[in-house]
Amino acid sequence: MSLRVIIAACSVLLCCAGSSTAAPLLLTQQQAPYAMQTDNGQQKGIALQAIRCAMSRSGLQASIRFISWSRAQRLVETGAADGYFPASRNAQRDELAQWFGPAAPQQWRWYLRRDNPLNPLDADFVQRARVGAYAGSNMHQWLEDHGYQISVSPPGHDQMLDVLLAGRADAVLAANLAMDELIAARGVGHKVKSVLAQDKPLGLYLSRSFLLRQGPEFAARLQQALQHCYRAPV
């Protein structure tokens, strides 16, 4: 074997080794208390901290970028990013990526104005109520799959409170921690009520191409690390 061939082979091996340990690009959205970025660039949040902790324990230092939720999922699907969070599971996402979790607790809750007599637990709620969830969310997909009358689908989670109070929907389906914090911050708790829909813990989706580059043991190592880093509700 010539020296040139040996050098080329070594270069390929070094390149492949480097790609498996390169900092993964993970995408998220601004959503307290799960993931937040301050004006000075500081990143925090219960899901963000759990995922950063798990990545570090798995031997990787993740790069985390804040963008719109719909765009985050598209970039992972096209291979421009390695993962997105915090995300609950659904069949469509499972086809394209692998879920790791839980990384943060979440309840899906129906939020209605206090003066609205509709009950989300009634059998005719699906036909009678105008509902909404933010675009690109698992909640929005669930509403579509179950035949609800979707009247609003704003691009961000926090805008769900605005459309609800404005009367553009009878009820919105939202993540409880994020919505409850927003309601408290705006001082409108006396105007809103909520009803539990289902428990849907949040986690991290990683692209299958990224996992393939990490080797066969990485997925189990990351899941174990996430179990250590996850802060379960008390």
Side-chain angles (χ1 to χ4, degrees):
M1 182 180 294
S2 70
L3 180 60
R4 180 177 297 177
V5 172
I6 293 174
I7 293 173
C10 289
S11 298
V12 170
L13 290 173
L14 287 172
C15 177
C16 293
S19 66
S20 65
T21 58
L25 174 58
L26 306 181
L27 306 177
T28 189
Q29 62 175 330
Q30 190 83 9
Q31 186 182 21
Y34 299 114
M36 300 92 77
Q37 184 166 262
T38 63
D39 292 339
N40 62 8
Q42 180 185 6
Q43 296 180 345
K44 57 184 180 179
I46 58 175
L48 189 149
Q49 291 170 351
I51 288 167
R52 194 186 290 282
C53 167
M55 279 288 176
S56 179
R57 289 179 67 90
S58 302
L60 296 174
Q61 298 300 318
S63 174
I64 297 175
R65 183 183 303 169
F66 284 73
I67 65 172
S68 72
W69 192 235
S70 296
R71 185 164 178 250
Q73 294 174 74
R74 289 197 301 270
L75 289 177
V76 173
E77 291 172 6
T78 60
D82 300 307
Y84 59 90
F85 73 92
S88 56
R89 295 190 69 176
N90 68 28
Q92 291 86 351
R93 292 171 177 172
D94 285 347
E95 291 179 0
L96 302 171
Q98 183 169 336
W99 190 83
F100 295 85
Q106 177 191 231
Q107 291 179 347
W108 283 4
R109 297 190 74 90
W110 289 107
Y111 288 85
L112 305 88
R113 296 184 307 282
R114 283 198 180 273
D115 59 359
N116 192 323
L118 292 177
N119 184 349
L121 302 182
D122 288 345
D124 62 349
F125 183 77
V126 175
Q127 289 78 31
R128 293 184 60 192
R130 298 171 301 123
V131 303
Y134 69 98
S137 67
N138 195 4
M139 290 171 277
H140 191 277
Q141 184 65 54
W142 185 85
L143 292 175
E144 286 187 342
D145 292 345
H146 288 80
Y148 284 86
Q149 300 181 57
I150 300 174
S151 62
V152 290
S153 53
H157 183 280
D158 290 359
Q159 294 168 293
M160 296 308 301
L161 181 57
D162 298 325
V163 298
L164 177 65
L165 294 176
R168 294 175 55 197
D170 295 311
V172 296
L173 193 58
N176 68 309
L177 294 184
M179 184 63 94
D180 290 348
E181 184 164 309
L182 184 62
I183 289 170
R186 297 191 183 179
V188 294
H190 62 291
K191 296 182 178 181
V192 181
K193 60 185 177 181
S194 72
V195 177
L196 176 65
Q198 55 183 297
D199 280 306
K200 291 289 286 186
L202 296 167
L204 165 69
Y205 268 105
L206 290 174
S207 71
R208 301 195 185 281
S209 60
F210 170 79
L211 292 172
L212 185 62
R213 296 197 301 270
Q214 306 312 306
E217 298 179 357
F218 177 79
R221 188 166 69 247
L222 177 61
Q223 183 59 48
Q224 185 177 14
L226 197 52
Q227 290 173 356
H228 172 86
C229 297
Y230 171 58
R231 294 171 56 189
V234 294

